Amino acid sequence: MQVYFTLVRRELAAYFVSVTGYVILAAAAFLLGWSFDVLLGSLQSDPTPMPITEVFYETLMFWVILLLMAPVITMRLFAHEKAAGTFETLMTTPVSDLQVVAAKFTGACVFFMVLWVPLLACLWIVHHFGGSPVGLDAGALGATFLGIFLMGAVFIAVGCLASALTRTQMVAAMVSLAAGFSLFMASFLPERAVGGGEGWRAQLLACFAFRDQMRDFVRGAVDTRPVVFYLSLTFFLLFLTLRVLEMRRWK
């Protein structure tokens, strides 16, 4: 475990010591502030009984941050080290492939969740000064961040796999963004399922209903089915990343 935590600290240092990490944080804070301004405008003109977290979920910037930041964060995980020549040095040290993949994934997840910290201040300000009839429910807030974490973990796992497959950061970011956007677009498929939502195909497509599942999270409802699905998909993608590293080790 000591090796794992050492690798995690190494990954976090790569984010918080470099200028790139703070550029990403500033961009996320800007997008959150922009959506926060839109949210204030909507509350002033048209009061809503919806929870504040659900109102924020309806803004475009919520999905932009969720879909865009994961590829930006993960594109450097393996691709940068391969291009810089440090990947071979890392893999020849007494660490396992599993520890490397787990540490890089953990570091990316921690940094991804740090991006969303300003959301707490934004929601509190809206609740305190917006005169919303619905209080900022702690359960809804916790469920919202749980949904963000689970969905972000899937996109980060996609980015890990994309970064492990290439030596170019830009290619890794583009592949990760395309895959993540495809998963998001799959959430529209259940609405077009044949049979009015019945049958095994409709049930399979319902697993990818990210928009509806996230709507439940922001309302404070936690369903175990999407939780299990997100965790299973994340571990499967990390398993593929591990296999890619093992294949490259034997080349």
Side-chain angles (χ1 to χ4, degrees), residues 7 10 22-23 37 44 48-49 54 56 63 78 86 89 151 160 164 168 186 199 220 231 238 241:
L7 291 174
R10 175 178 180 269
Y22 289 98
V23 171
D37 180 68
Q44 289 177 358
T48 174
E54 186 176 356
F56 183 78
W63 292 104
F78 297 99
T86 58
T89 304
M151 195 171 296
C160 287
T168 307
L231 292 177
L238 292 177
T241 305

Side-chain angles (χ1 to χ4, degrees), residues 78-92 167:
F78 297 99
H80 175 71
E81 296 215 35
K82 293 176 185 177
T86 58
F87 180 74
E88 289 75 11
T89 304
L90 174 64
M91 301 309 293
T92 54
R167 301 177 64 92

Side-chain angles (χ1 to χ4, degrees), residues 70-149:
V72 175
I73 292 173
T74 57
M75 66 180 183
R76 54 159 297 278
L77 291 180
F78 297 99
H80 175 71
E81 296 215 35
K82 293 176 185 177
T86 58
F87 180 74
E88 289 75 11
T89 304
L90 174 64
M91 301 309 293
T92 54
T93 57
V95 296
S96 64
D97 294 342
L98 178 60
Q99 290 174 327
V100 172
V101 173
K104 288 183 175 295
F105 174 75
T106 302
C109 284
V110 171
F111 187 76
F112 177 79
M113 293 307 297
V114 171
L115 296 178
W116 292 91
V117 171
L119 176 60
L120 292 172
C122 292
L123 294 177
W124 181 84
I125 291 173
V126 172
H127 165 64
H128 187 73
F129 297 102
S132 174
V134 181
L136 185 58
D137 183 66
L141 185 61
T144 298
F145 273 87
L146 175 62
I148 291 173
F149 171 76

Side-chain angles (χ1 to χ4, degrees), residues 8 21 43 57 97 109 117 151 166 174 181 214 227 251:
V8 172
L43 287 178
Y57 157 83
D97 294 342
C109 284
V117 171
M151 195 171 296
T166 180
M174 293 176 63
F181 186 73
M214 194 64 204
V227 173
K251 286 185 178 181

Side-chain angles (χ1 to χ4, degrees), residues 230-248:
Y230 290 151
L231 292 177
S232 301
L233 184 57
T234 299
F235 282 114
F236 175 70
L237 292 169
L238 292 177
F239 172 77
L240 294 180
T241 305
L242 181 62
R243 286 292 175 259
V244 170
L245 292 186
E246 291 177 349
M247 290 174 58
R248 291 184 178 274

